[in-house]
Amino acid sequence: MFELKVKTRFAGAHQLAMVGRKCENLHGHNWQVEVYVKGDQLNDAGVLADFGDIKRAVRAVVDGELDHQFLNELPAFENKQPTSERIAVYIAGKVQAYIDKNLDEKVVVSRVMAWESDDACAIYYPTPIVMK
């Protein structure tokens, strides 16, 4: 089994109710996101997948949908708070959909880490998918 990791950043604001007094105020973070993909087969070039392809998948979601947004107002978080945990779940699902549509390699998102500060993150492990 092989695993690749790409990192990116985005700026985003959110407001969380019933989490903690400071979090109930509108506030922002300079988020760091780490996305891991795994697979068991290398392609003809001897790599699991091209890092550039994985970066494009992550940037399509992070830069294209989350960067410089008030996360509470995004349709993905309608009627639910945009917590670090839910942001990680959202990124995992969207990146996997991009990979499935655009890449020939058989890789799956194995983990997403959504860091809201240098010392606090949520980690999401998607349900394992049997790779064919």
Side-chain angles (χ1 to χ4, degrees):
M1 185 65 61
F2 300 92
E3 190 172 51
L4 305 178
K5 174 179 83 170
V6 297
K7 294 168 54 172
T8 192
R9 299 177 187 280
F10 76 97
H14 63 174
Q15 189 170 15
L16 305 176
M18 311 223 10
V19 174
R21 287 190 177 104
K22 290 173 82 175
C23 294
E24 292 190 7
N25 295 321
L26 174 61
H27 64 284
H29 299 283
N30 290 314
W31 300 83
Q32 178 172 296
V33 175
E34 298 180 27
V35 176
Y36 295 73
V37 298
K38 70 179 180 179
D40 56 5
Q41 297 240 322
L42 302 181
N43 65 19
D44 291 340
V47 299
L48 180 61
D50 185 302
F51 276 112
D53 290 338
I54 304 303
K55 288 177 185 178
R56 269 187 289 287
V58 172
R59 288 185 186 131
V61 178
V62 173
D63 294 351
E65 300 180 31
L66 302 176
D67 193 33
H68 285 85
Q69 297 293 319
F70 177 38
L71 302 175
N72 295 67
E73 293 180 346
L74 298 179
F77 301 110
E78 187 174 348
N79 299 319
K80 54 187 164 185
Q81 299 194 101
T83 60
S84 297
E85 293 86 349
R86 287 183 172 145
I87 291 166
V89 169
Y90 178 75
I91 291 169
K94 295 291 267 187
V95 169
Q96 187 65 59
Y98 183 101
I99 287 170
D100 291 346
K101 182 179 178 184
N102 297 290
L103 272 66
D104 292 330
E105 288 83 6
K106 302 291 185 213
V107 297
V108 295
V109 174
S110 56
R111 174 175 20 161
V112 173
M113 302 174 76
W115 293 84
E116 64 176 46
S117 67
D118 289 340
D119 59 1
C121 79
I123 305 170
Y124 173 63
Y125 299 90
T127 303
I129 299 170
V130 176
M131 292 183 285
K132 298 177 185 176

